[in-house]
Amino acid sequence: MYIVREIFYLQFGRYKEAKVLIDEAEKGGLMPQSTGNRVLTDFTGTGYRLILESSYASLADFEKDLAKEMSTADWKQWYEKFKACVSHSEREILKQIS
């Protein structure tokens, strides 16, 4: 099992706007459709992060899902709005071992 975390560091003051866009993406089916999806935000530490967490049985499943979601016109249009809220991002891919 692999856990993928897409970590978005938001610009100061843009959290509410980003959260509205995340809700819009979830309702519009633009988020990954894998099991174990979660949307997280920080409570302590580095501020103003949104973390999208998904689980996949294999890295091939992750790549297939990523290619599928990023190829739609709706996702591309949504992402242009969302990335205006982001200062930078990173991705973590973790392997669950127990």
Side-chain angles (χ1 to χ4, degrees):
M1 176 72 66
Y2 292 88
I3 298 165
V4 178
R5 290 185 183 142
E6 306 284 354
I7 303 167
F8 298 96
Y9 293 83
L10 303 176
Q11 295 176 21
F12 185 80
R14 305 289 299 263
Y15 172 80
K16 287 181 182 179
E17 181 182 352
K19 177 63 169 93
V20 167
L21 288 167
I22 290 292
D23 292 343
E24 177 184 303
E26 286 181 317
K27 289 177 186 164
L30 302 177
M31 301 296 268
Q33 301 302 310
S34 67
T35 59
N37 286 351
R38 299 191 301 182
V39 179
L40 309 166
T41 191
D42 46 18
F43 195 66
T44 62
T46 305
Y48 302 103
R49 289 184 303 162
L50 276 177
I51 302 161
L52 310 180
E53 185 177 271
S54 303
S55 300
Y56 296 92
S58 70
L59 291 176
D61 290 343
F62 165 65
E63 289 177 0
K64 184 170 44 172
D65 199 31
L66 188 64
K68 178 182 155 191
E69 76 182 42
M70 291 176 70
S71 67
T72 69
D74 287 343
W75 186 88
K76 290 175 183 178
Q77 189 175 40
W78 172 85
Y79 191 65
E80 286 300 314
K81 294 185 281 184
F82 180 72
K83 73 181 184 181
C85 298
V86 176
S87 63
H88 66 283
S89 66
E90 61 187 59
R91 176 181 293 141
E92 294 179 347
I93 300 177
L94 308 160
K95 184 171 182 173
Q96 184 174 343
I97 57 173
S98 68

